[in-house]
Amino acid sequence: MCGCVSELDMTLMLDFESSELEGRKLGHCSDRAVPMDTTASGTSSVQYHNVTEQAIVPLAPPPVAHQRKQRHCFGNAIPGEFPLSANPSIVLHFLSACNLNPQDLAKLEASVFCLRFPKVGILQPAHFTPDHELSLAELAAHDMCQKRAIFKPMTIEQQQCLKQRCGGSWKLVLRYVLAGEACTRREKSQAIAGPGHSLAVTSKGAVYSFGSNSSGQLGHGTTHEEPHPSLIRSLLGVRIIHAAAGAGRTMLISDAGRVYAFGKDSFGEAEFGADGNKLVTTPQAVESLKDIFVVQAAIGNFFTAVLSREGMIYTFSWGDESKLGHQTEPNDLEPRPLLGALENIPVVQIAAGYCYLLALACQPNGMSVYSVGCGLGGKLGHGTRTDEKEPKLIERFVELNLQPVVVAAGAWHAAVVGKDGRVCTWGWGRYGCLGHGNEDCESVPKVVEALSNVKAIHVATGDYTTFVVSDAGDVYSFGCGESSSLGHDTAAADEQGNRQTNVLSPEVVTSLKERVVQISLTNSIYWNAHTFALTDSDKLYAFGAGDKGQLGVKLAANQTERAIPDRVDVDLS
């Protein structure tokens, strides 16, 4: 049970029918359910109707034999019936006030809130149906959905469509919404280490940007580099909940589902492909997405993908050989739905690599991962190196009995965190970025055995680099040590003072002393990598390449990178 419901609360709810209130005797209750008074203070009152007047009892009445009376609640003549069955709003208050997850709701519905038969001592499930359709757990799940930010603006028709898309249950809708919030830090502070430039989103939705700005990707109306975090003032009054950075371009998502883009207006290959027609130096709303409520964006080197509130993926560009199921031009800004296997399956997270896309899907039987795009190096996870033009289920997780909860797409390799805390990696294993102690490729997901004693909650991947965050807030990194982006101070151990030592197995980043909740690192083969570590107290630390000011910290003269994490002077709280 959650912390909001104490043992006393549960005892009162379960034993309410059989409890004896000293000095008070209740007569038969009204035939109609009593509405619950839910005020802003959170207090509630239960009203009892038709309470009979009691005669004054002498101080010393003659002794009489006690005879237990059968009570009947709300006109139902079944002895010993649990009285809250006629007033489920009381129990709904306890449920919805506790932010229980769908699994808790299901357990409560099946075992706790039930009809009690004291004579035989058994419990049977009770299905409360005040609206003649929903069980108590479904009511509570729907009530909790109503409190989520992306659910609130939806019309009743949109809510029902989402319910059917998720499998026909409000508990499944709640799981879908909560999963999306968790794996993308929606409504929370975020840090994005892009190719040469960086973004920091505060918990209140303000955005700071810094670093390279040759294409106006910082959104300040100029093309000048910015070595320190600078507020994007043109977005004041707009609450941003998600950010994505690509080479020379940036996309921001507001809490109203609007998409703002700036920098290069081309979605062709980052540095060596087609250039856009113009540079956009201040955030501009993407008109082609105005009718789609977007919650996340992912920028690859050949394409961009966005995720709608309903779990649909839309992609721009990269139509060569119909790699995403459609034929388009490199600078095509018309969003096209990613159909095929994911057409009727809600997706909670997307992750874009150099030339492929991963999708974390939420299905009634659990979470799963689909991949599409270039299969070079085995990074699609299907046991082959062939391309996939439409999304295809990665079946290996079923064999591993692993429920994915977070996905990460590096340039040439990928990673997943399971609900049980296990970490899987696959793809091109160059420099040890898969964490298996070698540089071998893996064409299907493989558990990182070196992390078997660690319960992971987050994973981030870059260009041959991987970071894992544990539930204790510790950070592990492995892979390419170029630009000191792994956070290990290897200069002291290396006789030549080389800080670019590769790490083949996970090692703790001991220089991070505080509890970390998120890692972001550069995911581009064209830029030297840098890394951000965000703590649970909203402090931001940076290390790695900083030649364009992308670290947001001051470097010494002639210094282009930083091996040890340094605090970035920005308030994310």
Side-chain angles (χ1 to χ4, degrees):
M1 290 302 298
C2 66
C4 298
V5 179
S6 66
E7 292 183 3
L8 176 59
D9 294 328
M10 292 306 305
T11 302
L12 288 175
M13 286 190 289
L14 291 173
D15 293 334
F16 187 90
E17 188 276 333
S18 59
S19 63
E20 296 293 339
L21 302 179
E22 292 295 333
R24 178 185 299 174
K25 293 183 179 180
L26 299 179
H28 292 289
C29 300
S30 168
D31 288 338
R32 56 196 176 98
V34 182
M36 177 180 177
D37 179 20
T38 54
T39 63
S41 65
T43 60
S44 61
S45 61
V46 182
Q47 303 175 15
Y48 294 93
H49 296 260
N50 302 330
V51 178
T52 58
E53 295 184 2
Q54 304 295 316
I56 299 177
V57 180
L59 293 178
V64 295
H66 176 72
Q67 182 178 0
R68 180 178 176 85
K69 294 183 178 180
Q70 292 182 343
R71 297 194 194 92
H72 310 301
C73 295
F74 299 97
N76 195 317
I78 300 176
E81 183 187 1
F82 188 44
L84 299 183
S85 62
N87 191 3
S89 57
I90 300 174
V91 187
L92 176 60
H93 172 67
F94 281 90
L95 280 174
S96 60
C98 298
N99 197 26
L100 302 181
N101 62 40
Q103 290 78 11
D104 292 330
L105 291 174
K107 293 176 182 177
L108 286 172
E109 180 184 29
S111 60
V112 178
F113 298 103
C114 55
L115 301 180
R116 170 168 287 193
F117 295 88
K119 289 186 177 181
V120 294
I122 62 173
L123 299 177
Q124 295 184 1
H127 298 283
F128 300 108
T129 57
D131 67 350
H132 307 292
E133 292 182 0
L134 299 180
S135 67
L136 177 63
E138 281 288 282
L139 274 174
H142 184 252
D143 182 69
M144 292 158 65
C145 285
Q146 297 281 6
K147 296 178 174 64
R148 314 318 299 182
I150 71 168
F151 195 87
K152 285 180 181 179
M154 299 180 75
T155 65
I156 295 177
E157 291 76 14
Q158 290 171 335
Q159 293 177 8
Q160 290 296 331
C161 288
L162 179 60
K163 178 182 177 183
Q164 294 308 312
R165 186 171 171 80
C166 289
S169 165
W170 290 120
K171 286 181 287 188
L172 294 177
V173 174
L174 180 61
R175 184 182 69 171
Y176 164 76
V177 173
L178 295 179
E181 291 179 357
C183 61
T184 60
R185 289 189 61 81
R186 197 177 298 149
E187 311 296 327
K188 297 180 180 179
S189 57
Q190 305 167 26
I192 310 298
H197 73 289
S198 305
L199 304 165
V201 182
T202 73
S203 57
K204 295 182 179 179
V207 182
Y208 293 83
S209 60
F210 44 103
S212 175
N213 194 32
S214 59
S215 299
Q217 62 265 43
L218 297 186
H220 301 310
T222 70
T223 55
H224 305 306
E225 288 182 7
E226 179 57 64
H228 304 290
S230 181
L231 181 66
I232 301 181
R233 298 189 177 278
S234 63
L235 286 176
L236 290 177
V238 177
R239 185 170 186 232
I240 300 300
I241 62 168
H242 182 76
R249 58 187 179 273
T250 303
M251 298 183 77
L252 304 176
I253 316 297
S254 77
D255 61 348
R258 294 305 306 270
V259 180
Y260 299 85
F262 42 102
K264 293 175 65 175
D265 70 338
S266 168
F267 293 96
E269 187 171 355
E271 294 298 305
F272 303 108
D275 292 326
N277 298 322
K278 61 180 180 179
L279 301 181
V280 180
T281 60
T282 57
Q284 302 292 322
V286 180
E287 287 301 313
S288 61
L289 291 169
K290 65 180 180 180
D291 296 326
I292 301 172
F293 195 111
V294 176
V295 294
Q296 190 196 346
I299 302 177
N301 285 79
F302 296 91
F303 69 99
T304 292
V306 297
L307 180 65
S308 78
R309 174 178 57 186
E310 295 76 22
M312 280 286 295
I313 301 175
Y314 297 82
T315 60
F316 302 93
S317 186
W318 203 33
D320 279 350
E321 301 175 0
S322 300
K323 285 191 173 68
L324 292 179
H326 49 70
Q327 188 78 31
T328 56
E329 298 300 323
N331 60 350
D332 188 357
L333 298 183
E334 186 67 27
R336 287 172 170 78
L338 187 62
L339 302 177
L342 289 175
E343 185 173 358
N344 296 308
I345 299 176
V347 173
V348 300
Q349 183 199 358
I350 53 176
Y354 178 76
C355 53
Y356 70 106
L357 181 72
L358 297 180
L360 178 62
C362 186
Q363 298 176 271
N365 61 346
M367 308 293 285
S368 56
V369 180
Y370 290 75
S371 62
V372 62
C374 173
L376 186 63
K379 58 184 176 292
L380 295 185
H382 304 305
T384 68
R385 300 187 180 187
T386 58
D387 297 348
E388 295 293 340
K389 296 180 180 180
E390 293 186 349
K392 183 177 179 180
L393 174 67
I394 299 178
E395 299 177 352
R396 178 63 173 168
F397 297 116
V398 176
E399 300 173 18
L400 294 173
N401 192 28
L402 184 143
Q403 284 276 329
V405 292
V406 179
V407 297
W412 300 104
H413 74 292
V416 154
V417 172
K419 184 178 179 181
D420 58 5
R422 286 183 292 169
V423 177
C424 288
T425 58
W426 67 96
W428 205 343
R430 194 176 181 185
Y431 306 121
C433 63
L434 301 185
H436 301 310
N438 53 49
E439 297 188 48
D440 297 341
C441 293
E442 299 290 343
S443 58
V444 294
K446 181 179 179 180
V447 175
V448 181
E449 295 298 339
L451 293 172
S452 59
N453 294 324
V454 174
K455 184 175 182 180
I457 59 171
H458 176 71
V459 64
T461 50
D463 179 21
Y464 301 120
T465 308
T466 306
F467 279 77
V468 173
V469 180
S470 75
D471 61 346
D474 297 323
V475 178
Y476 299 79
S477 67
F478 44 98
C480 181
E482 187 176 353
S483 306
S484 304
S485 60
L486 291 179
H488 305 301
D489 186 14
T490 57
D494 194 320
E495 295 179 357
Q496 286 77 34
N498 180 19
R499 288 181 177 174
Q500 299 184 359
T501 301
N502 301 324
V503 179
L504 303 184
S505 295
E507 291 185 8
V508 178
V509 182
T510 57
S511 54
L512 288 169
K513 307 296 184 183
E514 298 187 51
R515 186 187 184 95
V516 173
V517 293
Q518 184 213 359
I519 291 286
S520 177
L521 66 154
T522 306
N523 185 9
S524 173
I525 65 175
Y526 301 127
W527 286 85
N528 290 333
H530 69 289
T531 307
F532 286 134
L534 181 63
T535 72
D536 61 352
S537 58
D538 279 332
K539 295 178 183 177
L540 184 62
Y541 292 87
F543 49 98
D547 54 313
K548 297 294 183 179
Q550 62 266 47
L551 293 179
V553 299
K554 186 176 182 180
L555 299 178
N558 300 321
Q559 187 180 16
T560 60
E561 61 187 46
R562 183 170 182 81
I564 302 300
D566 195 7
R567 173 84 181 275
V568 182
D569 186 16
V570 59
D571 182 10
L572 297 181
S573 61

